């Protein structure tokens, strides 16, 4: 847990001043990353009587990713969702493969209160608005930075009173590898 906290502090610094360490891409099982996120947040979810669920993650192929940063992105989305969900609601992470197997889509879907258009439109910027006590609004900007570094995309669907769904699309093979500079 202390290592995870240390990683979270570094990700905030990355967001503010740029990447503090180079990306380290390696084979990554998304189901394992999501399981670690859910285990880390289980106590908080249980306290709030929110069910954490996963769907179709075991079927996803191994992808090339920076696993600690992917963990942080998914952690931010699930952690942000839990306080927005009323008791008895849920947060689910669902996976699917697209584009003839070259991309995966991870969706973080909650049964929470949804977002106003103003909040939704500022999500991936430094102008993001946090409704959480002690929230900074940086969480979704950090998620966007991680997704961008992986060569992926992120979108959000949200309607007030009906919940929110974030969709992250990542390349299975990771971002295109940079060619080594010629001497």
């Amino acid at each position: 847990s202390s290592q995870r906290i240390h990683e979270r502090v570094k990700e905030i610094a990355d967001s503010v001043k740029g990447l503090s360490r180079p990306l380290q891409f390696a084979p990554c099982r998304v189901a394992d990353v999501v399981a670690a996120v859910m285990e880390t947040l289980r106590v908080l979810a249980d306290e709030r009587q929110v069910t954490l669920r996963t769907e179709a993650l075991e079927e996803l192929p191994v992808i090339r990713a920076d696993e600690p940063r992917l963990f942080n992105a998914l952690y931010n989305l699930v952690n942000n969702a839990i306080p927005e969900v009323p008791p008895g609601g849920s947060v689910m992470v669902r996976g699917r493969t697209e584009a003839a197997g070259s991309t995966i889509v991870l969706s973080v879907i909650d049964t929470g209160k949804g977002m106003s258009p103003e909040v939704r439109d500022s999500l991936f910027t430094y102008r993001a608005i946090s409704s959480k006590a002690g929230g900074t609004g940086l969480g979704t900007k950090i998620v966007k930075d991680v997704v961008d570094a992986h060569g992926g995309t992120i979108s959000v669907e949200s309607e007030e009173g009906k919940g929110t769904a974030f969709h992250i699309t990542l390349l299975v093979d990771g971002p295109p590898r940079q060619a080594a500079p010629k001497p």
Side-chain angles (χ1 to χ4, degrees):
S1 290
S2 64
Q3 180 62 33
R4 298 271 190 220
I5 291 168
H6 182 68
E7 289 294 323
R8 302 263 304 135
V9 170
K10 284 197 308 190
E11 84 180 359
I12 292 168
D14 286 350
S15 177
V16 173
K17 67 177 188 166
L19 296 179
S20 61
R21 71 167 173 82
L23 292 160
Q24 297 175 2
F25 290 94
C28 174
R29 280 187 34 84
V30 173
D32 294 344
V33 175
V34 173
V37 168
M38 298 304 209
E39 185 59 33
T40 302
L41 292 171
R42 180 129 356 258
V43 171
L44 175 63
D46 289 349
E47 285 174 358
R48 294 182 158 276
Q49 300 172 13
V50 172
T51 302
L52 298 180
R53 302 181 321 164
T54 61
E55 183 178 291
L57 298 176
E58 292 296 331
E59 291 85 28
L60 295 177
V62 171
I63 67 170
R64 259 185 82 247
D66 183 307
E67 190 170 318
R69 284 200 170 98
L70 184 57
F71 173 94
N72 287 337
L74 293 168
Y75 176 97
N76 270 311
L77 291 178
V78 175
N79 186 52
N80 285 350
I82 291 170
E84 304 301 325
V85 174
S90 67
V91 178
M92 176 174 52
V93 180
R94 174 188 299 152
R96 71 179 186 275
T97 305
E98 287 191 342
S102 65
T103 63
I104 64 164
V105 178
L106 298 173
S107 298
V108 178
I109 304 162
D110 70 56
T111 60
K113 60 186 177 183
M115 293 180 236
S116 69
E118 175 187 67
V119 170
R120 192 177 56 244
D121 293 345
S122 73
L123 277 180
F124 305 118
T125 71
Y126 288 114
R127 298 179 296 105
I129 302 162
S130 176
S131 61
K132 285 191 315 192
T136 63
L138 278 177
T140 53
K141 174 68 170 96
I142 289 168
V143 172
K144 173 100 169 74
D145 290 347
V146 169
V147 171
D148 287 350
H150 281 78
T153 60
I154 185 167
S155 63
V156 63
E157 299 172 74
S158 186
E159 190 175 332
E160 289 182 278
K162 297 193 177 181
T164 300
F166 285 89
H167 307 287
I168 297 172
T169 302
L170 298 172
L171 297 164
V172 170
D173 293 333
R177 297 174 199 229
Q178 298 294 324
K182 294 183 179 178

